[in-house]
């Protein structure tokens, strides 16, 4: 099945891509719906909360006029709790537009406006207050308000005696100042004062003490004057609700990301187990025929007439034996898949040269006009498994030759270049070709199992290369460059302690 030009997926990639797009798209649609619904709820809450703003502010200004001092303080504390939590901010201005009361703007600004005789607002505080009023004015128009800023003033107390309902007109009364000193009283007969009848002060004090003991006392208060003004306000509906959609998105995103990473890890482990099983089974199946072929080659050599000359200067039996030995090495490589390989200090230049020599001897059977060039720098030894790294080089060289053969644009060249990166202490090996490059649709998925650009490829070679380099050797392999003029693959392997080695 072909997809996006030269990209071919052998394992249902189209269905998998559709499923991923469907799941991701569905999640985003659900998140978008959740955000819209949350914003709708917030809007409803704001509209509902705004209905009690005006009564709340009026109640706030009415508190000083409440006659019961204890009730006034309890209500004042409850109203302060609402503004302190940031749910409501408001500013009351007089008929000239001068702020006289504020809540929720700034603690110091609120405190200074409550005490007109105290310290004046600083320039910075005036600026904050102006900015707050401007912000409130943008959201809501000013609303007219009748307010009082002074608390009810207690000027004295009235103490009264205990009488029957039939004698209320003759109830004993004592008027005192705020220090509970009798000023006037009516105990027996008419009213007396401390100035006109000082001898009666004692009787008045006794009545005061008796009435206070029995809670027969009331404060004498003066109502504060009412003024005309207006107020601006700003409602903040439970601040945590505003962040809830975004927090929810982060939580859902983290959950999905964790699930995807876990899924990829499990899938990678399953694929590794499948590849290891296939490799070991292949090694097992190839082992017996190769051993048998080795025996037949020995038998053929023994039965060959002594005077038979090699054809075209080649010893056929020797060449066959060489290829069979190579097959044995390949089988040994397959048997190492899935196991932790033994890493030793090896010469990357020698391994690369062996791989290049093997393919150079077979180039005439594949392409008459392809050459392999080698440019090896002075390198330290690398910590690697020689058989597996040679397998990596052979895969990269074979892919380079295939890319050249499919172009048929003239002489081809595969270049093997090695360098040493002092900064990372890594040996780098680059395999370059002058084929037609790799299509953009394939580049991102190039190392994915089943992805190939070859008409009859399996999409296995680069997957094994990536696993050998990155999993077994803690190195890195990447497509370093590609364009219509060719491609370059780069392999980086950690260097081992040891002498440098070069090969021309």
């Amino acid at each position: 099945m072909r997809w996006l030009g030269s990209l071919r997926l052998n394992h249902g990639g189209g269905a998998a891509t559709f499923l991923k797009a469907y799941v991701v798209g569905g999640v985003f649609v659900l998140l978008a719906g959740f955000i819209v619904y949350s914003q709708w709820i917030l809007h409803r809450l704001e509209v509902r909360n705004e209905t009690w703003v005006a009564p709340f502010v009026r109640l706030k200004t009415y508190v000083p006029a409440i006659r019961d001092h204890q009730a006034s303080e309890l209500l004042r504390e409850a109203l302060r709790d609402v503004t302190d939590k940031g749910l409501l901010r408001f500013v009351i201005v007089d008929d000239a537009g001068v702020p006289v009361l504020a809540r929720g703007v700034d603690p110091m600004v609120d405190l200074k406006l409550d005490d007109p005789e105290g310290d004046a607002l600083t320039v910075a505080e005036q600026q904050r207050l102006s900015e707050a009023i401007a912000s409130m004015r943008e959201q809501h128009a000013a609303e007219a308000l009748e307010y009082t800023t002074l608390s009810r003033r207690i000027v004295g107390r009235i103490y009264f005696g205990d009488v029957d309902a039939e004698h209320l007109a003759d109830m004993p009364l004592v008027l005192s100042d705020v220090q509970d000193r009798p000023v006037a009283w009516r105990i027996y007969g008419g009213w007396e004062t401390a100035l006109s009848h000082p001898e009666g002060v004692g009787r008045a004090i006794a009545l005061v003490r008796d009435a206070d003991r029995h809670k027969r006392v009331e404060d004498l208060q003066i109502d504060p004057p009412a003024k005309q003004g207006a107020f601006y306000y700003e409602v903040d509906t439970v601040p945590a609700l505003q962040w809830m959609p975004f927090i929810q998105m982060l939580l859902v995103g983290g959950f999905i990301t964790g699930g995807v990473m876990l899924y990829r890890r499990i899938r990678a482990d399953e694929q590794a187990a499948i590849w290891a099983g296939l490799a070991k089974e292949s090694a097992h199946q190839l082992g017996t025929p190769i051993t048998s072929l080795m025996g037949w080659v020995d038998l053929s050599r023994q039965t060959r007439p002594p005077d038979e000359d090699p054809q075209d200067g080649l010893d056929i039996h020797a060449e066959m034996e060489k290829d069979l030995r190579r097959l044995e090495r390949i089988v040994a490589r397959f048997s190492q898949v899935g196991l932790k390989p033994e890493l030793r200090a090896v010469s990357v230049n020698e391994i690369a040269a062996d791989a290049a020599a093997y393919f150079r001897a077979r180039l005439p059977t594949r392409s008459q006009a392809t050459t392999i060039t080698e440019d090896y720098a002075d390198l330290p030894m690398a910590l690697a498994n020689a058989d597996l790294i040679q397998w990596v080089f052979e895969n990269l060289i074979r892919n380079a030759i295939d890319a050249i053969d499919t172009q048929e644009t003239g002489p081809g060249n595969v270049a093997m270049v090695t360098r040493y990166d002092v900064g990372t202490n890594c040996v780098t090996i680059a395999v370059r070709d002058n084929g037609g490059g790799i299509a953009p649709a394939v580049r991102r998925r190039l190392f994915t199992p089943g992805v190939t650009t070859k008409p009859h490829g399996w999409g296995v070679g680069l997957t094994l290369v990536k696993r050998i380099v990155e999993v077994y050797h803690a190195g890195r392999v990447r497509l370093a460059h590609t364009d219509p003029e060719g491609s370059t693959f780069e392999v980086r392997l950690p260097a081992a302690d040891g002498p440098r080695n070069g090969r021309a």
Side-chain angles (χ1 to χ4, degrees), residues 275 279 326 329-337 351 355 359 385-398 460-461 464-465 468-469 472:
W275 287 120
R326 180 171 182 78
R329 293 176 60 187
I330 293 175
V331 169
R333 294 172 185 171
F334 275 106
S335 65
Q336 295 183 58
V337 175
I351 298 174
F359 278 96
N385 181 283
D387 288 339
L388 293 181
I389 291 302
Q390 186 164 0
W391 196 359
V392 168
F393 294 162
E394 290 173 3
N395 269 292
L396 295 179
I397 295 173
R398 183 182 299 109
V460 174
L464 290 174
V465 167
I468 291 171
V469 173
Y472 294 156

Side-chain angles (χ1 to χ4, degrees), residues 304-325:
R304 186 183 66 178
D307 56 350
E308 184 179 36
D309 295 330
Q311 296 183 5
D312 299 327
L314 292 177
D315 187 342
I316 296 178
H317 293 89
E319 294 299 324
M320 291 177 63
E321 187 173 2
K322 187 184 301 183
D323 285 340
L324 286 172
R325 294 296 181 191

Side-chain angles (χ1 to χ4, degrees), residues 270-283:
E270 290 178 346
Q271 289 178 347
I274 292 173
W275 287 120
L278 289 175
K280 291 181 182 300
E281 181 63 21
S282 299

Side-chain angles (χ1 to χ4, degrees), residues 136-156:
M136 297 175 187
R137 186 183 290 116
E138 291 178 357
Q139 300 185 33
H140 307 93
E143 296 192 23
L145 178 72
E146 185 179 82
Y147 69 94
T148 57
T149 57
L150 298 176
S151 297
R152 204 176 263 277
R153 187 160 60 94
I154 299 175
V155 296

Side-chain angles (χ1 to χ4, degrees), residues 171-185:
M171 177 185 295
L173 300 173
V174 175
L175 301 179
S176 72
D177 58 16
V178 292
Q179 282 80 31
D180 293 330
R181 294 175 299 192
V183 176
W185 55 86

Side-chain angles (χ1 to χ4, degrees), residues 6 21 66 82 235 361 398:
S6 59
I66 296 178
V82 174
V235 178
R398 183 182 299 109

